[in-house]
């Protein structure tokens, strides 16, 4: 469907969208990987040696360090998972509300939205181009303030194509200008709209390398302090 078509939508009730099933499964797998699989040495050392009986735990800072780091990883992972799994989008003829746990609520009337930019494909470094539903889904749907800064983004990977198309219909019906971009690179987006691109999107390989180094270091410290 072309977001620039002029057909106005009929009056419809409010629509509510949560995370897509693929996003939920991916989030749960990633959370289990980060908090469990990559911390295998920490967990097996702690459980295998019954370290909760050790008098040094909680009193000796060095001895407690591996467990403390794992607890921090667990808390961060749970917060990230809740942020993704509890996100929901409400759209109606008056505006939109984007809410969820561990995130700031985004809400605005359509009169406060200066424009909508529908980006079919954002070319990110370090990955092959992904196949999108050429008839319905966009890599990102940017809702912008009148000054061009980002108000909110409706991600196809999070909400799926129906939420994006419904947002486009509501925005078009409210008279919000809509621009479609077929393909654009991350670096070009950073030059023109720096606030649209996070550090993780701009440097995914660097982020992955830092995560790998962190888990290697944590397991090495655990082995040095607790052994097997």
């Amino acid at each position: 469907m072309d977001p620039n078509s002029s057909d106005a939508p009929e009056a419809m009730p409010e629509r509510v969208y949560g995370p897509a099933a693929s996003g939920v499964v991916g989030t749960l797998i990633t959370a289990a990987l980060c908090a469990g699989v990559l911390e295998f040495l920490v967990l097996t050392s702690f459980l295998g040696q019954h370290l909760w009986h050790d008098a040094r735990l909680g009193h000796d800072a060095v001895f407690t360090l591996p467990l403390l780091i794992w607890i921090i990883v667990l808390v961060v992972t749970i917060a990230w998972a809740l942020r993704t799994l509890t996100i929901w989008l409400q759209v109606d003829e008056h505006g939109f509300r984007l809410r969820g746990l561990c995130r700031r609520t985004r809400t605005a009337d359509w009169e406060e939205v200066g424009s909508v930019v529908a980006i079919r494909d954002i070319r990110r470094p370090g990955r092959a181009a992904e196949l999108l539903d050429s008839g319905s889904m966009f890599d990102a749907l940017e809702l912008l303030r009148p000054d061009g800064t980002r108000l909110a983004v409706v991600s196809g990977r999070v909400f799926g194509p129906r939420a994006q198309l419904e947002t486009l219909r509501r925005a078009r019906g409210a008279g919000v200008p809509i621009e479609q971009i077929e393909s654009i690179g991350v670096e070009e987006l950073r030059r023109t709209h720096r606030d649209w691109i996070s550090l993780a999107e701009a440097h995914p390989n660097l982020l992955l390398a830092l995560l790998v180094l962190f888990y290697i270091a944590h397991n090495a410290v655990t082995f040095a302090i607790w052994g097997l």
Side-chain angles (χ1 to χ4, degrees), residues 10 29 31 47 51-52 60 63 70 78 95 133 135 146 192 197 221:
E10 298 179 359
I29 292 176
L47 297 175
L51 294 182
W52 58 86
D60 185 311
F63 188 82
W70 179 77
I78 291 175
D133 182 346
T192 57
I197 300 297
V221 168

Side-chain angles (χ1 to χ4, degrees), residues 121-124 127-132:
D121 176 45
I122 299 177
R123 301 188 304 276
R124 297 174 175 84
R127 72 156 173 86
E130 297 178 12
L131 296 177
L132 300 176

Side-chain angles (χ1 to χ4, degrees), residues 2-16:
D2 183 0
N4 293 306
S5 62
S6 58
D7 55 311
E10 298 179 359
M12 292 183 290
E14 177 184 75
R15 302 288 185 180
V16 180

Side-chain angles (χ1 to χ4, degrees), residues 15-16 23 32 35 46-47 49 68 121 141 195 219:
R15 302 288 185 180
V16 180
F46 183 78
L47 297 175
Q49 300 182 64
L68 179 60
D121 176 45
L141 193 65
D195 67 319
N219 281 276

Side-chain angles (χ1 to χ4, degrees), residues 39-54 63 67 222 226-228:
E39 298 283 14
F40 179 76
L41 178 60
V42 179
L43 296 176
T44 53
S45 295
F46 183 78
L47 297 175
Q49 300 182 64
H50 299 182
L51 294 182
W52 58 86
H53 294 308
D54 197 303
F63 188 82
L67 179 62
T222 299
W226 291 350
L228 292 176

Side-chain angles (χ1 to χ4, degrees), residues 71-118:
I71 291 174
I72 293 174
V73 170
L74 181 63
V75 170
V76 171
T77 301
I78 291 175
W80 171 80
L82 288 175
R83 176 181 169 86
T84 303
L85 297 176
T86 63
I87 190 173
W88 52 280
L89 171 71
Q90 291 176 279
V91 185
D92 59 26
E93 69 272 17
H94 303 295
F96 72 91
R97 287 156 296 283
L98 189 63
R99 300 178 179 176
L101 296 178
C102 305
R103 68 171 59 243
R104 186 172 66 177
T105 297
R106 303 278 187 172
T107 179
D109 294 334
W110 290 120
E111 289 78 8
E112 302 174 64
V113 180
S115 62
V116 176
V117 178

